[in-house]
Amino acid sequence: EIVLTQSPGTLSLSPGERATLSCRASQSVSSTYLAWYQHKPGQAPRLLIYGASSRATGIPDRFSGSGSGTDFTLTISRLEPEDFAVYYCEQYDDSLFTFGQGTRLEIK
Amino acid sequence: QVQLQESGPGLVKPSETLSLTCYVSGGSITNYYWAWIRQPPGKRLEWIGYIYYTGSPRYNPSLENRVTMSVDTTKNQFSLTLTSVTAADSAVYYCARGRRPYVGSSSFGSWGRGTLVTVSS
């Protein structure tokens, strides 16, 4: 089973700043099967990025994904107030989906 | 836009069976894979399994001896049963749809808001 480790656990930033979130895998992950989600309390999780770098439908272009192998990054170029939430990475390998433990993005 | 809504009891006794249903609206249940995912308090999300609209479920090996999923295309809904539950099965349970039709390995494009299930006597 591939274990995903996200860092930092909590990221404190101000609106307008740039956010960089990391997701590291315990072994190589196919970029095809690496995704990022945003989750706000009481809401359904929202797919942001699939295939490591492709934005899902309706996702603003301030969100971008990159990386390959074992290291992946979600970047939010200029934080908007609505971007403060928990972010998860997810991967699929050998008929099993696993998730990272999440990064909480909070307002500084 | 498809919407998903989980439904089921919020409290289940230890050793009993947890049963949840996900109602799909705004789109057909056909052509997609449908998944259950849970998140115990303070822990990471855990994929439970998925099922295609015609059947053929695939489960997380850690749960497969206790899990059953099914689809009812006439009611546009799918279901989860988990037997012999313990406190470790207490979690928020989410239903979700695969992002791409016909593909089980794609990420999850639509989710429900989740339902909290507590296992306690």
Side-chain angles (χ1 to χ4, degrees):
Chain A
E1 174 179 324
I2 294 178
V3 177
L4 299 178
T5 302
Q6 294 184 239
S7 60
T10 301
L11 185 57
S12 299
L13 293 170
S14 300
E17 292 192 293
R18 181 185 185 89
T20 303
L21 287 68
S22 174
C23 177
R24 178 162 290 178
S26 59
Q27 60 193 81
S28 186
V29 171
S30 168
S31 295
T32 301
Y33 300 125
L34 193 288
W36 289 91
Y37 301 87
Q38 177 192 67
H39 192 199
K40 298 179 183 179
Q43 296 187 18
R46 178 190 183 194
L47 176 66
L48 300 174
I49 301 288
Y50 64 91
S53 60
S54 297
R55 274 187 299 276
T57 303
I59 302 303
D61 61 7
R62 64 179 181 273
F63 291 91
S64 63
S66 63
S68 64
T70 60
D71 290 295
F72 298 88
T73 301
L74 174 70
T75 302
I76 311 172
S77 59
R78 293 173 309 279
L79 286 167
E80 298 286 342
E82 63 267 27
D83 297 336
F84 293 91
V86 179
Y87 292 83
Y88 297 98
C89 56
E90 168 254 298
Q91 70 81 38
Y92 174 84
D93 176 74
D94 195 22
S95 302
L96 179 65
F97 292 92
T98 59
F99 293 84
Q101 83 280 20
T103 289
R104 180 177 303 277
L105 179 57
E106 64 177 26
I107 299 177
K108 187 173 183 180
Chain B
Q1 183 175 352
V2 68
Q3 294 189 325
L4 293 80
Q5 176 68 56
E6 304 88 353
S7 178
L11 182 64
V12 181
K13 290 183 168 53
S15 79
E16 295 191 344
T17 296
L18 180 162
S19 295
L20 296 174
T21 297
C22 182
Y23 299 95
V24 180
S25 59
S28 173
I29 203 165
T30 58
N31 303 331
Y32 282 90
Y33 281 80
W34 302 90
W36 289 97
I37 296 156
R38 70 180 183 178
Q39 186 169 35
K43 296 191 176 182
R44 66 182 65 202
L45 292 159
E46 179 182 32
W47 174 72
I48 300 171
Y50 65 50
I51 185 167
Y52 195 46
Y53 78 103
T54 57
S56 302
R58 182 157 287 175
Y59 303 132
N60 189 320
S62 68
L63 296 167
E64 65 180 343
N65 61 336
R66 297 195 291 131
V67 173
T68 303
M69 294 182 185
S70 61
V71 175
D72 187 336
T73 56
T74 64
K75 295 181 179 179
N76 227 41
Q77 65 187 44
F78 61 105
S79 299
L80 167 73
T81 61
L82 182 65
T83 61
S84 304
V85 297
T86 70
D89 295 309
S90 296
V92 176
Y93 285 76
Y94 298 93
C95 57
R97 190 186 79 172
R99 179 182 64 82
R100 289 178 59 193
Y102 317 113
V103 178
S105 57
S106 65
S107 43
F108 305 108
S110 300
W111 296 60
R113 289 174 178 249
T115 187
L116 176 62
V117 178
T118 301
V119 178
S120 175
S121 54

